[in-house]
Amino acid sequence: MNKLYKMAMLFCTAAAVWSCANDSVLDFEYAKPESIANQEKIDAYKDLKTYVGRSGNPDFKLGAGISLSEYVSGGIVKRLVDRNFDEITMGYEMKHGAVVKNDGMFDFSGIDKLLAATQQSGVTLFGHTLCWHANQNAAYLKGLIAPVIIPSTGGPSWDLVTGNDFESDNTSNYQVNSNVTMAYTAAGEGANGVGRALKLTNAAVRANDWEAQLFIKFSPAVQAGEKYQLSMDIRSDVNASYPTQAHVTPGAYKHWDFFGTISSTPTWTTYTKEITVSAEQATCGVIAFNLGKTATNYYFDNITLKKYNPTGGSTIIEKTPEEKKNIINQNLEKWISEMMKKCAPAVKAWDVVNEPMDDGKPYELKTGIGKTLAADEFFWQDYLGKDYAVEAFRLARKYGNPTDKLFVNDYNLEYNLDKCKGLITYVEYIESKGQKVDGIATQMHISINSNKENIAAMFQLLAATGKLIKVSELDIAVGTADVTETMLQKQAEMYKYVVDMYSKYIPAKQRYGITVWGVSDSKKDSSWLPGEKQALWDIQFTRKPAYARFADGLNEMK
């Protein structure tokens, strides 16, 4: 109910000594503005974590994602978090790029401060994250697998640009279009009966030879006047001939000819061709082989592309895929073991693998192959293969506490239900290889207009796994800085809906908890959801309607 306000006016009758001979009070009242009344109702709510029904949800953790500096500084964010949440997750500071320096040494100074602060406050710390493709010290990792360069002693040389004998499964520089399948021969079926070869199948005669293509990628791109030599062992199940083209990137045609037309027979032969790059071929970094005119199996082995250096060049010794795999595996173990041992006294749960599934191919893993990578991107799976997560979980289990809860974390699971299913399938694969996955975390960076049916369906899919389920990075963007009261109410209802669906479909024994990603709205110049009003508190740390409805949802969770 709105309070009534009274104002009193004192009227004084002047006398010789300016004293008040008489005073009277004029009373009037007005209704409190609705916005103030509504805010008072929100401010009357208790701290968020007090609404969690602990008897029915004894292990549930209400979390907040914040930065290390926000917490260890002891300012308003820390005080707000300590009052309202059970657990915190660092946005960046526990990741590889924040801890591993350019010389490979570990800088735990920030984490030491964080551990001390959480021990003092009693707030638990969730480990985020051990194995991810972003926020890595990619320069250090790539340096470990870089080629060995032996300086030249002078004189002309042919310097290796790229090559492959196909004895390992790394085909990162090789790509085919949708009409060609790529595989390997059995051991002993390579050139001259040695090792393996690359096997390409074009199943039908195409109207155009370029409808079935193999691409060999290399860098840097060729320049006019340079000399290159292509050498490879080839054969095909039937006699065939196929032209080559110059492409800038796979499928981006540049010139009709690159290394001539190649003829192959059922017998292994060696094809060698030298060219001087023409102006029409300049800037190309891909050799395209047009295989579409003959329906057959094509075989390639011992491919080398070399560049002529008239003044002599350094000898470049590339590490084999197997050597790279061993080096990266060793460094994954070094990273996980050191991180787990440092944090074991305080951290009892981890995102072991973060964002593994591809958005466009949701049943497959992400890859950095064929992409221009950011400076901090390093795809462990491109070197360790599909079992990279198997290894990450093995190491986390080995070096952490025996009772640690280990999660896989991914985003857009409510947006793309196939991605949710793909992640569940990958978890099943990890466990088929002998490693236990305790939980699945769904990030849920959503909006006030997100599909509610999908949200409910996602929780049902996750619940059916029997795993612990965590909402790991919840925020709900309004999507505009020009927010209206209607938008704020819609946001509030969506926050409650998420909690309602979580409690409806996730059995109590599987509820690890819900973590909101950031406690206050982002500033307009923020790198994360700038000006999109996504949080429970506004930028001035005033509670929003979302706070109240989120608390209502927690209070109703039995």
Side-chain angles (χ1 to χ4, degrees):
M1 175 181 290
N2 293 344
K3 296 179 181 177
L4 301 181
Y5 282 73
K6 295 184 178 181
M7 296 188 67
M9 245 183 184
L10 184 63
F11 295 91
C12 298
T13 304
V17 292
W18 297 94
S19 63
C20 292
N22 166 48
D23 59 310
S24 63
V25 176
L26 177 64
D27 289 343
F28 65 95
E29 59 186 43
Y30 67 93
K32 184 186 299 184
E34 185 178 3
S35 61
I36 294 177
N38 289 339
Q39 189 61 50
E40 286 183 346
K41 292 177 182 177
I42 297 171
D43 292 341
Y45 273 74
K46 297 180 293 184
D47 298 330
L48 281 177
K49 64 184 178 182
T50 64
Y51 289 98
V52 177
R54 301 296 179 182
S55 59
N57 301 275
D59 300 320
F60 181 94
K61 293 179 177 60
L62 186 62
I66 59 172
S67 71
L68 186 148
S69 61
E70 286 176 320
Y71 197 74
V72 301
S73 65
I76 185 173
V77 173
K78 181 182 187 301
R79 295 194 299 272
L80 185 150
V81 166
D82 288 348
R83 286 175 59 94
N84 287 277
F85 298 96
D86 307 311
E87 185 168 81
I88 56 174
T89 301
M90 294 296 100
Y92 173 70
E93 291 85 358
M94 293 180 74
K95 294 172 181 171
H96 187 275
V99 176
V100 179
K101 303 295 106 178
N102 289 338
D103 60 359
M105 300 298 289
F106 288 67
D107 181 0
F108 287 123
S109 57
I111 290 178
D112 285 334
K113 295 176 183 177
L114 178 63
L115 295 177
T118 55
Q119 286 178 329
Q120 184 178 28
S121 67
V123 171
T124 60
L125 178 62
F126 187 88
H128 178 75
T129 174
L130 293 174
C131 194
W132 192 28
H133 68 275
N135 292 167
Q136 310 296 288
N137 190 328
Y140 169 70
L141 293 171
K142 290 176 182 177
L144 295 173
I145 56 176
V148 176
I149 301 176
I150 302 174
S152 170
T153 57
S157 63
W158 285 96
D159 300 336
L160 181 67
V161 175
T162 187
N164 201 324
D165 60 6
F166 305 107
E167 299 312 305
S168 74
D169 291 346
N170 189 329
T171 55
S172 57
N173 290 331
Y174 299 80
Q175 184 176 325
V176 294
N177 67 9
S178 59
N179 287 331
V180 179
T181 58
M182 182 164 59
Y184 302 100
T185 66
E189 294 181 0
N192 303 313
V194 177
R196 302 191 309 177
L198 185 67
K199 178 182 178 180
L200 305 174
T201 302
N202 173 44
V205 177
R206 314 291 172 179
N208 302 289
D209 58 11
W210 45 262
E211 291 180 29
Q213 289 182 309
L214 163 69
F215 306 103
I216 299 179
K217 299 174 284 186
F218 59 90
S219 64
V222 300
Q223 301 301 321
E226 294 177 335
K227 292 175 64 176
Y228 284 84
Q229 180 191 83
L230 174 66
S231 179
M232 56 188 180
D233 294 315
I234 57 173
R235 79 175 186 88
S236 50
D237 285 347
V238 300
N239 292 345
S241 64
Y242 39 97
T244 60
Q245 292 178 338
H247 288 212
V248 178
T249 57
Y253 169 83
K254 173 78 175 186
H255 189 59
W256 66 271
D257 181 52
F258 210 155
F259 282 94
T261 296
I262 300 169
S263 295
S264 60
T265 70
T267 301
W268 282 106
T269 58
T270 300
Y271 176 84
T272 302
K273 179 73 177 288
E274 292 181 13
I275 65 163
T276 298
V277 177
S278 67
E280 293 81 7
Q281 296 166 334
T283 73
C284 290
V286 174
I287 308 169
F289 299 79
N290 294 357
L291 309 176
K293 282 297 187 181
T294 306
T296 189
N297 294 315
Y298 298 86
Y299 305 88
F300 295 83
D301 201 359
N302 302 317
I303 297 176
T304 61
L305 179 66
K306 297 180 179 180
K307 178 181 177 181
Y308 181 70
N309 189 333
T311 60
S314 301
T315 301
I316 301 174
I317 304 175
E318 291 278 355
K319 293 181 175 63
T320 67
E322 192 62 30
E323 288 173 328
K324 292 180 181 179
K325 180 177 181 179
N326 290 335
I327 291 169
I328 295 306
N329 200 45
Q330 290 168 9
N331 274 269
L332 181 64
E333 180 163 11
K334 178 183 177 183
W335 156 242
I336 291 179
S337 64
E338 293 296 322
M339 195 67 177
M340 298 293 279
K341 286 185 287 187
K342 164 59 68 172
C343 298
V347 181
K348 311 300 182 182
W350 290 86
D351 283 332
V352 176
V353 173
N354 197 46
E355 302 179 2
M357 309 314 295
D358 187 83
D359 293 293
K361 300 176 181 178
Y363 289 89
E364 298 180 14
L365 298 180
K366 276 191 175 76
T367 178
I369 296 172
K371 300 176 182 176
T372 300
L373 302 184
D376 67 346
E377 286 188 308
F378 185 88
F379 288 78
W380 300 85
Q381 56 265 48
D382 287 344
Y383 301 91
L384 303 181
K386 186 177 181 180
D387 283 3
Y388 88 106
V390 177
E391 182 66 4
F393 272 89
R394 185 187 72 81
L395 295 170
R397 195 71 67 186
K398 177 180 179 180
Y399 292 106
N401 303 298
T403 57
D404 281 350
K405 302 303 181 186
L406 305 182
F407 285 78
V408 171
N409 183 44
D410 216 327
Y411 64 94
N412 277 359
L413 304 186
E414 77 293 322
Y415 174 77
N416 183 349
L417 294 178
D418 277 334
K419 187 175 183 182
C420 184
K421 295 173 186 176
L423 181 64
I424 291 170
T425 299
Y426 190 49
V427 168
E428 292 170 349
Y429 174 80
I430 295 169
E431 295 202 313
S432 75
K433 293 291 186 174
Q435 298 305 314
K436 181 183 179 184
V437 179
D438 295 299
I440 300 175
T442 173
Q443 293 183 17
M444 297 199 72
H445 299 296
I446 61 177
S447 79
I448 60 175
N449 297 313
S450 289
N451 186 315
K452 288 186 173 182
E453 291 182 358
N454 274 19
I455 291 172
M458 175 197 68
F459 282 131
Q460 292 176 72
L461 288 169
L462 294 177
T465 67
K467 302 293 182 187
L468 292 174
I469 304 301
K470 178 187 181 188
V471 177
S472 58
E473 302 180 18
L474 176 64
D475 50 32
I476 302 176
V478 174
T480 176
D482 300 322
V483 65
T484 66
E485 186 62 29
T486 299
M487 293 175 183
L488 289 178
Q489 291 301 325
K490 193 172 182 179
Q491 179 187 52
E493 292 307 317
M494 185 64 85
Y495 264 106
K496 185 175 186 299
Y497 181 81
V498 170
V499 182
D500 288 347
M501 293 302 101
Y502 181 81
S503 61
K504 179 178 180 179
Y505 292 114
I506 307 301
K509 65 180 181 179
Q510 292 177 242
R511 298 174 192 161
Y512 179 88
I514 297 175
T515 292
V516 295
W517 203 241
V519 295
S520 64
D521 289 340
S522 298
K523 298 178 181 179
K524 291 183 179 180
D525 60 351
S526 173
S527 61
W528 181 251
L529 299 179
E532 295 196 27
K533 311 292 186 182
Q534 79 279 9
L536 301 178
W537 285 263
D538 69 16
I539 202 168
Q540 302 298 329
F541 297 101
T542 300
R543 292 174 177 179
K544 295 163 58 178
Y547 181 101
R549 297 302 281 150
F550 188 66
D552 291 341
L554 294 173
N555 192 49
E556 295 168 12
M557 185 172 61
K558 305 302 182 183

